[in-house]
Amino acid sequence: MIKKLKEGVYNVGAIDWDRTLFDEIVPTPQGTSYNAYLVIGKDKTALIDTVEPQKFDELKKNLEEMGIERIDYIVSNHAEQDHSGSIPMMLDMYPEAELITNEKCKGFEMDLLHIPEDKFTVIKENDEIDLGGKTLRFIMTPWVHWPETMSTYLVEDRILFSCDFFGSHVATSYTFAKYYDKVYHEAKRYYAEIMMPFRNFIEKNIKKVEALDIDMIAPSHGPVFDNPEYIINAYKEWIDPEPLNMVLIAFVSMHESTRKMVEFLADELEKRGVDVKIRNLTTADVGEIAMDLVDVATIIIATPTVLAGAHPNAVYGAYLANVLRPKAKFAGIIGSFSWGGKAVDVIKSNLSSLKVELLEPVLLKGLPKKEGYEKLKEFAQLIYEKHKEAGLIK
Ligand SMILES: Cc1cc2nc3c(=O)[nH]c(=O)nc-3n(C[C@H](O)[C@H](O)[C@H](O)COP(=O)(O)O)c2cc1C
């Protein structure tokens, strides 16, 4: 599907309506797209990024349909294969094309895609290429998503081709973002899974983006934003260091003991005016958990003791929170056991990268009894007080 952004600027990428999983981990319930942008100047034509190799035929078909016989430049903003994977095929199709990218990205693409060195033209920050009335300027935006990632700014049309930055996994027939509730949700999911670990870099990169005069943000997944402030403001909200007065309880329970603890704790928190999200680690969508992590002040991992350790799904939940490095300020561990083990140590070691205050764990023997529920009440009160001290409850 060819989508026009402005005169001489088209999205010629591919739509993946039925991709349901990304990177073998990230659910993509709305499908996705691999946007590749064609910029046609008076003298030269450039393609900005390509598509996932399985979708190369769609890119090829779009270019053929437009009668594009020559591409002078292929700009690669990011070496990850969902954008770069079709570059080798494009270079076969358009052997005259120079591959434009930064030094680091060149190294990655030589390793990942075996592209020969002589195909590359290396550019640096703020270098420009004139296509004839359309100027491409290169802006380094490291760590959104990989260390080599950059953006390309089309000066005359004021379009920022931002690659993964500001993207969302959404397959749409329309060109520009609309149905904003959905866009917000999927862009947040994308932020949570892909960008959250690099929050500090994002802050710097947003400043760079805001210094440009922008009409459109054209990411490489999902719709184009013709109101750039919408997505920039959403990102600012997500990177804001202040969490919400909310607790995520990510749990697993084999025989309901831990589940009873979780439900009781959630009730006690709600009674104290603390919002709660409960996610069952056996069935929950990883993306939804990641989205909770964008906001919450406290993360609770709830697990039974299994074969002297924690339940593997609880380990996975803790590990996930650890690698996504959310802004949470507190963490806790609760659970049920029968004869003993190291469930707490296992979960603790999987939370070691989080800059959180770890609250005293609550482990109960078997199905919770009166004293157990009392401990959970105290635990809820402690969380409430921590949130209050942190200024999250007014
Ligand atoms: C496969 C399996 C392994 C277990 N291993 C341990 C263990 O090593 N140490 C322990 O204290 N309890 C162990 N238990 C007992 C559970 O921790 C205990 O029944 C707990 O109350 C279960 O919580 P749940 O109802 O939330 O699943 C094990 C239970 C199962 C089913």
Side-chain angles (χ1 to χ4, degrees):
M1 205 178 282
I2 299 158
K3 295 172 174 175
K4 183 172 173 180
L5 274 62
K6 284 199 183 187
E7 213 45 59
V9 186
Y10 304 87
N11 179 359
V12 291
I15 305 176
D16 205 341
W17 294 99
D18 53 11
R19 180 150 187 182
T20 52
L21 192 65
F22 214 86
D23 296 341
E24 298 299 311
I25 176 171
V26 179
T28 48
Q30 311 298 329
T32 193
S33 66
Y34 318 105
N35 303 338
Y37 296 98
L38 193 72
V39 182
I40 304 173
K42 280 199 293 289
D43 309 316
K44 304 263 168 119
T45 296
L47 179 72
I48 301 174
D49 293 318
T50 67
V51 299
E52 177 82 42
Q54 290 95 319
K55 288 281 172 184
F56 171 69
D57 284 351
E58 204 167 318
L59 170 63
K60 182 169 178 264
K61 181 181 87 56
N62 289 341
L63 292 168
E64 282 170 356
E65 211 171 297
M66 289 179 74
I68 304 299
E69 284 169 3
R70 184 184 166 88
I71 288 182
D72 301 280
Y73 305 109
I74 299 171
V75 176
S76 179
N77 281 330
H78 180 20
E80 196 177 4
Q81 291 87 333
D82 50 331
H83 311 294
S84 67
S86 292
I87 291 175
M89 291 86 103
M90 286 303 302
L91 289 171
D92 285 344
M93 207 171 146
Y94 298 100
E96 69 285 355
E98 282 176 51
L99 179 53
I100 309 288
T101 194
N102 60 69
E103 185 70 40
K104 199 168 233 150
C105 190
K106 170 184 152 184
F108 283 7
E109 289 179 348
M110 287 173 65
D111 290 336
L112 297 172
L113 301 165
H114 298 175
I115 298 174
E117 189 163 15
D118 61 6
K119 286 285 178 190
F120 289 90
T121 300
V122 170
I123 48 78
K124 297 186 299 302
E125 177 96 82
N126 286 326
D127 280 357
E128 293 187 344
I129 288 182
D130 182 12
L131 307 176
K134 290 202 187 287
T135 310
L136 300 179
R137 185 187 298 162
F138 306 106
I139 317 280
M140 300 304 134
T141 44
W143 293 109
V144 292
H145 164 219
W146 284 4
E148 90 303 357
T149 309
M150 64 181 209
S151 298
T152 300
Y153 178 57
L154 175 51
V155 178
E156 291 79 2
D157 292 299
R158 297 185 294 280
I159 304 176
L160 183 74
F161 300 99
S162 58
C163 203
D164 280 344
F165 200 18
F166 305 116
S168 49
H169 285 306
V170 189
T172 73
S173 63
Y174 47 86
T175 307
F176 298 106
K178 52 182 176 178
Y179 310 122
Y180 279 98
D181 284 355
K182 281 190 184 172
V183 169
Y184 180 89
H185 189 266
E186 293 311 319
K188 185 174 183 181
R189 171 192 283 267
Y190 190 89
Y191 164 83
E193 293 158 343
I194 305 291
M195 299 290 167
M196 185 157 59
F198 313 117
R199 259 184 309 129
N200 298 336
F201 291 95
I202 287 177
E203 200 176 345
K204 287 180 204 143
N205 284 317
I206 283 187
K207 287 200 179 110
K208 253 189 189 181
V209 167
E210 282 190 311
L212 301 167
D213 182 12
I214 298 179
D215 272 1
M216 290 179 191
I217 289 184
S220 53
H221 296 291
V224 173
F225 291 92
D226 54 2
N227 51 350
E229 63 286 352
Y230 178 84
I231 192 68
I232 291 175
N233 288 340
Y235 264 67
K236 282 184 174 169
E237 179 193 321
W238 301 329
I239 62 171
D240 187 320
E242 189 85 332
L244 300 181
N245 172 32
M246 186 182 279
V247 175
L248 166 66
I249 311 179
F251 83 101
V252 53
S253 183
M254 303 176 296
H255 299 300
E256 306 281 287
S257 308
T258 307
R259 180 193 284 275
K260 287 202 162 58
M261 295 175 69
V262 166
E263 287 168 358
F264 183 83
L265 176 64
D267 252 20
E268 290 298 315
L269 287 167
E270 285 290 352
K271 277 185 201 160
R272 288 165 176 76
V274 178
D275 294 331
V276 182
K277 281 270 184 172
I278 300 179
R279 299 281 182 194
N280 184 334
L281 286 161
T282 309
T283 52
D285 174 326
V286 171
E288 298 289 324
I289 297 178
M291 271 188 276
D292 298 338
L293 289 169
V294 174
D295 299 320
V296 299
T298 299
I299 303 165
I300 304 291
I301 303 290
T303 179
T305 298
V306 178
L307 301 176
H311 191 288
N313 290 5
V315 174
Y316 178 73
Y319 183 81
L320 186 73
N322 203 50
V323 291
L324 291 176
R325 294 202 290 280
K327 64 178 82 152
K329 293 178 185 296
F330 312 102
I333 302 161
I334 64 171
S336 177
F337 69 102
S338 259
W339 57 90
K342 293 193 179 319
V344 166
D345 293 344
V346 170
I347 298 296
K348 250 193 211 172
S349 68
N350 278 283
L351 294 174
S352 60
S353 298
L354 292 184
K355 292 196 178 83
V356 290
E357 179 184 340
L358 199 61
L359 308 174
E360 189 60 37
V362 180
L363 275 208
L364 303 179
K365 199 158 189 224
L367 196 61
K369 298 198 254 316
K370 194 164 172 294
E371 317 84 81
Y373 286 124
E374 280 308 315
K375 280 192 182 161
L376 287 169
K377 245 188 216 175
E378 285 163 23
F379 192 57
Q381 182 64 20
L382 177 66
I383 293 171
Y384 163 79
E385 278 160 19
K386 291 287 176 189
H387 281 205
K388 201 155 170 67
E389 276 164 31
L392 307 175
I393 301 173
K394 309 292 171 210

CSV table of all heavy atoms in Angstrom, one decimal, residues 134-167:
chain,number,residue,atom,x,y,z
A,134,LYS,N,14.8,19.0,-2.0
A,134,LYS,CA,14.5,18.3,-0.8
A,134,LYS,C,15.9,17.9,-0.1
A,134,LYS,O,16.7,17.2,-0.8
A,134,LYS,CB,13.7,17.0,-1.1
A,134,LYS,CG,12.3,17.4,-1.6
A,134,LYS,CD,11.3,16.2,-1.4
A,134,LYS,CE,10.0,16.4,-2.0
A,134,LYS,NZ,9.1,17.4,-1.2
A,135,THR,N,16.0,18.4,1.1
A,135,THR,CA,17.3,18.2,1.8
A,135,THR,C,17.1,17.2,2.9
A,135,THR,O,16.3,17.4,3.8
A,135,THR,CB,17.9,19.5,2.3
A,135,THR,OG1,17.8,20.5,1.3
A,135,THR,CG2,19.3,19.4,2.9
A,136,LEU,N,18.0,16.2,3.0
A,136,LEU,CA,17.9,15.2,4.1
A,136,LEU,C,19.0,15.6,5.1
A,136,LEU,O,20.2,15.7,4.7
A,136,LEU,CB,18.1,13.8,3.6
A,136,LEU,CG,17.1,13.3,2.6
A,136,LEU,CD1,17.5,11.8,2.2
A,136,LEU,CD2,15.7,13.3,3.2
A,137,ARG,N,18.7,15.8,6.3
A,137,ARG,CA,19.7,16.1,7.4
A,137,ARG,C,19.6,15.0,8.4
A,137,ARG,O,18.6,14.5,8.8
A,137,ARG,CB,19.3,17.4,8.1
A,137,ARG,CG,20.4,17.9,9.1
A,137,ARG,CD,19.9,19.1,9.9
A,137,ARG,NE,19.7,20.2,9.0
A,137,ARG,CZ,19.0,21.3,9.4
A,137,ARG,NH1,18.4,21.3,10.6
A,137,ARG,NH2,18.8,22.3,8.6
A,138,PHE,N,20.8,14.6,8.8
A,138,PHE,CA,20.9,13.4,9.7
A,138,PHE,C,21.1,13.8,11.2
A,138,PHE,O,22.0,14.6,11.5
A,138,PHE,CB,22.0,12.5,9.2
A,138,PHE,CG,21.8,12.1,7.8
A,138,PHE,CD1,22.6,12.7,6.8
A,138,PHE,CD2,20.7,11.3,7.4
A,138,PHE,CE1,22.3,12.4,5.4
A,138,PHE,CE2,20.5,11.1,6.1
A,138,PHE,CZ,21.3,11.6,5.1
A,139,ILE,N,20.3,13.3,12.0
A,139,ILE,CA,20.3,13.7,13.4
A,139,ILE,C,20.5,12.4,14.2
A,139,ILE,O,19.7,11.5,14.2
A,139,ILE,CB,18.9,14.2,13.9
A,139,ILE,CG1,18.3,15.2,12.8
A,139,ILE,CG2,18.9,14.8,15.3
A,139,ILE,CD1,18.8,16.6,12.8
A,140,MET,N,21.6,12.4,15.0
A,140,MET,CA,21.9,11.2,15.8
A,140,MET,C,21.0,11.1,17.0
A,140,MET,O,20.9,12.1,17.8
A,140,MET,CB,23.4,11.2,16.3
A,140,MET,CG,24.4,11.2,15.1
A,140,MET,SD,24.2,9.9,13.9
A,140,MET,CE,24.3,10.8,12.4
A,141,THR,N,20.3,10.0,17.1
A,141,THR,CA,19.4,9.8,18.2
A,141,THR,C,19.7,8.4,18.9
A,141,THR,O,18.9,7.5,18.8
A,141,THR,CB,17.9,9.8,17.8
A,141,THR,OG1,17.8,9.1,16.6
A,141,THR,CG2,17.4,11.3,17.5
A,142,PRO,N,20.9,8.4,19.5
A,142,PRO,CA,21.3,7.1,20.1
A,142,PRO,C,20.4,6.5,21.1
A,142,PRO,O,19.7,7.3,21.8
A,142,PRO,CB,22.7,7.4,20.7
A,142,PRO,CG,22.7,8.9,20.9
A,142,PRO,CD,21.8,9.5,19.8
A,143,TRP,N,20.3,5.2,21.1
A,143,TRP,CA,19.5,4.4,22.2
A,143,TRP,C,18.0,4.6,22.0
A,143,TRP,O,17.3,4.3,23.0
A,143,TRP,CB,20.0,4.8,23.6
A,143,TRP,CG,21.4,4.3,23.8
A,143,TRP,CD1,22.5,5.1,23.9
A,143,TRP,CD2,21.8,3.0,23.9
A,143,TRP,NE1,23.6,4.3,24.1
A,143,TRP,CE2,23.2,3.0,24.1
A,143,TRP,CE3,21.2,1.7,23.8
A,143,TRP,CZ2,24.0,1.8,24.2
A,143,TRP,CZ3,21.9,0.6,24.0
A,143,TRP,CH2,23.3,0.6,24.2
A,144,VAL,N,17.5,5.0,20.8
A,144,VAL,CA,16.1,4.9,20.6
A,144,VAL,C,15.9,4.1,19.3
A,144,VAL,O,15.4,4.7,18.3
A,144,VAL,CB,15.4,6.2,20.6
A,144,VAL,CG1,15.4,6.9,21.9
A,144,VAL,CG2,16.0,7.2,19.5
A,145,HIS,N,16.4,3.0,19.1
A,145,HIS,CA,16.4,1.9,20.1
A,145,HIS,C,17.8,1.3,20.4
A,145,HIS,O,18.0,0.8,21.5
A,145,HIS,CB,15.4,0.9,19.4
A,145,HIS,CG,15.3,-0.4,19.8
A,145,HIS,ND1,15.1,-1.5,18.9
A,145,HIS,CD2,15.3,-1.0,21.0
A,145,HIS,CE1,15.0,-2.6,19.6
A,145,HIS,NE2,15.1,-2.4,20.9
A,146,TRP,N,18.7,1.3,19.5
A,146,TRP,CA,20.0,0.8,19.7
A,146,TRP,C,21.0,1.9,19.7
A,146,TRP,O,20.7,3.1,19.4
A,146,TRP,CB,20.4,-0.2,18.5
A,146,TRP,CG,19.7,-1.5,18.5
A,146,TRP,CD1,18.8,-2.0,19.4
A,146,TRP,CD2,19.9,-2.6,17.5
A,146,TRP,NE1,18.4,-3.3,19.0
A,146,TRP,CE2,19.1,-3.7,17.9
A,146,TRP,CE3,20.7,-2.8,16.4
A,146,TRP,CZ2,19.0,-4.9,17.2
A,146,TRP,CZ3,20.7,-4.0,15.7
A,146,TRP,CH2,19.9,-5.0,16.1
A,147,PRO,N,22.3,1.6,20.0
A,147,PRO,CA,23.3,2.7,20.2
A,147,PRO,C,23.5,3.5,18.9
A,147,PRO,O,24.0,4.6,18.9
A,147,PRO,CB,24.5,2.0,20.7
A,147,PRO,CG,24.4,0.6,20.4
A,147,PRO,CD,22.9,0.3,20.4
A,148,GLU,N,23.3,2.9,17.7
A,148,GLU,CA,23.6,3.5,16.5
A,148,GLU,C,22.4,4.2,15.9
A,148,GLU,O,22.5,4.9,14.8
A,148,GLU,CB,24.1,2.4,15.5
A,148,GLU,CG,23.0,1.7,14.6
A,148,GLU,CD,21.8,1.0,15.4
A,148,GLU,OE1,21.8,1.0,16.6
A,148,GLU,OE2,20.9,0.6,14.7
A,149,THR,N,21.3,4.2,16.5
A,149,THR,CA,20.0,4.7,15.9
A,149,THR,C,20.1,6.2,15.6
A,149,THR,O,20.5,7.0,16.4
A,149,THR,CB,18.8,4.4,16.8
A,149,THR,OG1,18.9,3.0,17.1
A,149,THR,CG2,17.5,4.6,16.0
A,150,MET,N,19.6,6.6,14.4
A,150,MET,CA,19.6,8.0,14.1
A,150,MET,C,18.2,8.3,13.4
A,150,MET,O,17.4,7.4,13.2
A,150,MET,CB,20.7,8.3,13.1
A,150,MET,CG,20.6,7.6,11.7
A,150,MET,SD,22.0,8.1,10.7
A,150,MET,CE,21.3,7.9,9.1
A,151,SER,N,18.0,9.6,13.2
A,151,SER,CA,16.8,10.0,12.6
A,151,SER,C,17.2,10.8,11.3
A,151,SER,O,18.3,11.3,11.3
A,151,SER,CB,15.9,10.9,13.5
A,151,SER,OG,15.5,10.2,14.6
A,152,THR,N,16.2,11.0,10.4
A,152,THR,CA,16.5,11.8,9.2
A,152,THR,C,15.4,12.8,9.1
A,152,THR,O,14.2,12.5,9.3
A,152,THR,CB,16.5,10.9,8.0
A,152,THR,OG1,17.5,9.9,8.1
A,152,THR,CG2,16.8,11.7,6.7
A,153,TYR,N,15.9,14.1,9.0
A,153,TYR,CA,15.0,15.2,8.9
A,153,TYR,C,14.9,15.8,7.5
A,153,TYR,O,16.0,16.1,6.9
A,153,TYR,CB,15.5,16.3,9.9
A,153,TYR,CG,14.7,17.5,9.9
A,153,TYR,CD1,13.3,17.5,10.3
A,153,TYR,CD2,15.3,18.8,9.7
A,153,TYR,CE1,12.6,18.7,10.3
A,153,TYR,CE2,14.5,20.0,9.8
A,153,TYR,CZ,13.2,19.9,10.1
A,153,TYR,OH,12.5,21.1,10.1
A,154,LEU,N,13.7,15.8,7.0
A,154,LEU,CA,13.5,16.4,5.6
A,154,LEU,C,13.2,17.9,5.8
A,154,LEU,O,12.1,18.3,6.2
A,154,LEU,CB,12.4,15.6,4.9
A,154,LEU,CG,12.0,16.1,3.5
A,154,LEU,CD1,13.2,16.3,2.6
A,154,LEU,CD2,10.9,15.2,2.9
A,155,VAL,N,14.2,18.7,5.5
A,155,VAL,CA,14.2,20.1,5.9
A,155,VAL,C,13.0,20.9,5.3
A,155,VAL,O,12.2,21.5,6.1
A,155,VAL,CB,15.6,20.8,5.5
A,155,VAL,CG1,15.6,22.3,5.9
A,155,VAL,CG2,16.7,20.1,6.1
A,156,GLU,N,12.9,20.8,4.0
A,156,GLU,CA,11.8,21.7,3.4
A,156,GLU,C,10.4,21.3,3.8
A,156,GLU,O,9.5,22.1,3.9
A,156,GLU,CB,12.0,21.6,1.8
A,156,GLU,CG,13.2,22.2,1.3
A,156,GLU,CD,14.5,21.4,1.4
A,156,GLU,OE1,14.4,20.2,1.9
A,156,GLU,OE2,15.5,21.8,1.0
A,157,ASP,N,10.2,20.0,3.9
A,157,ASP,CA,8.9,19.5,4.3
A,157,ASP,C,8.6,19.3,5.8
A,157,ASP,O,7.6,19.0,6.3
A,157,ASP,CB,8.6,18.1,3.6
A,157,ASP,CG,8.5,18.3,2.1
A,157,ASP,OD1,7.6,19.0,1.7
A,157,ASP,OD2,9.3,17.7,1.4
A,158,ARG,N,9.7,19.6,6.5
A,158,ARG,CA,9.6,19.5,8.0
A,158,ARG,C,9.1,18.2,8.5
A,158,ARG,O,8.2,18.1,9.3
A,158,ARG,CB,8.8,20.7,8.6
A,158,ARG,CG,9.4,22.1,8.3
A,158,ARG,CD,8.7,23.2,8.9
A,158,ARG,NE,7.4,23.4,8.4
A,158,ARG,CZ,7.1,23.9,7.2
A,158,ARG,NH1,8.1,24.4,6.5
A,158,ARG,NH2,5.8,24.0,6.8
A,159,ILE,N,9.6,17.1,8.0
A,159,ILE,CA,9.2,15.8,8.4
A,159,ILE,C,10.4,15.1,9.1
A,159,ILE,O,11.6,15.1,8.5
A,159,ILE,CB,8.8,14.9,7.2
A,159,ILE,CG1,7.7,15.5,6.4
A,159,ILE,CG2,8.4,13.5,7.7
A,159,ILE,CD1,7.3,14.8,5.2
A,160,LEU,N,10.2,14.5,10.3
A,160,LEU,CA,11.2,13.8,10.9
A,160,LEU,C,11.0,12.3,10.8
A,160,LEU,O,9.9,11.8,11.2
A,160,LEU,CB,11.3,14.1,12.4
A,160,LEU,CG,12.4,13.4,13.2
A,160,LEU,CD1,13.8,14.1,12.9
A,160,LEU,CD2,12.2,13.4,14.7
A,161,PHE,N,11.9,11.6,10.1
A,161,PHE,CA,11.8,10.1,10.0
A,161,PHE,C,12.5,9.6,11.2
A,161,PHE,O,13.8,9.6,11.2
A,161,PHE,CB,12.4,9.7,8.6
A,161,PHE,CG,11.7,10.3,7.5
A,161,PHE,CD1,12.2,11.4,6.8
A,161,PHE,CD2,10.5,9.8,7.0
A,161,PHE,CE1,11.6,12.0,5.8
A,161,PHE,CE2,9.8,10.4,5.9
A,161,PHE,CZ,10.4,11.5,5.3
A,162,SER,N,11.8,9.1,12.2
A,162,SER,CA,12.4,8.9,13.5
A,162,SER,C,12.7,7.4,13.8
A,162,SER,O,13.1,7.0,14.9
A,162,SER,CB,11.4,9.4,14.5
A,162,SER,OG,10.2,8.8,14.4
A,163,CYS,N,12.4,6.5,12.8
A,163,CYS,CA,12.6,5.1,12.9
A,163,CYS,C,11.8,4.6,14.1
A,163,CYS,O,10.6,4.8,14.2
A,163,CYS,CB,14.1,4.7,13.0
A,163,CYS,SG,14.3,3.0,12.5
A,164,ASP,N,12.4,3.8,15.1
A,164,ASP,CA,11.6,3.2,16.2
A,164,ASP,C,11.1,4.3,17.1
A,164,ASP,O,10.1,4.1,17.8
A,164,ASP,CB,12.5,2.2,17.0
A,164,ASP,CG,12.6,0.9,16.3
A,164,ASP,OD1,11.8,0.6,15.3
A,164,ASP,OD2,13.5,0.1,16.6
A,165,PHE,N,11.8,5.4,17.3
A,165,PHE,CA,11.4,6.5,18.2
A,165,PHE,C,10.0,6.9,17.8
A,165,PHE,O,9.8,7.3,16.6
A,165,PHE,CB,12.4,7.6,18.0
A,165,PHE,CG,12.5,8.6,19.2
A,165,PHE,CD1,12.0,8.3,20.4
A,165,PHE,CD2,13.2,9.8,19.0
A,165,PHE,CE1,12.1,9.2,21.5
A,165,PHE,CE2,13.3,10.7,20.0
A,165,PHE,CZ,12.8,10.4,21.2
A,166,PHE,N,9.1,7.0,18.7
A,166,PHE,CA,7.7,7.4,18.5
A,166,PHE,C,6.9,6.4,17.7
A,166,PHE,O,5.8,6.7,17.2
A,166,PHE,CB,7.6,8.8,17.8
A,166,PHE,CG,8.4,9.9,18.5
A,166,PHE,CD1,9.5,10.5,17.9
A,166,PHE,CD2,8.0,10.3,19.8
A,166,PHE,CE1,10.2,11.5,18.6
A,166,PHE,CE2,8.7,11.3,20.4
A,166,PHE,CZ,9.8,11.9,19.8
A,167,GLY,N,7.4,5.2,17.6
A,167,GLY,CA,6.6,4.2,16.8
A,167,GLY,C,5.6,3.5,17.6
A,167,GLY,O,5.4,3.7,18.8
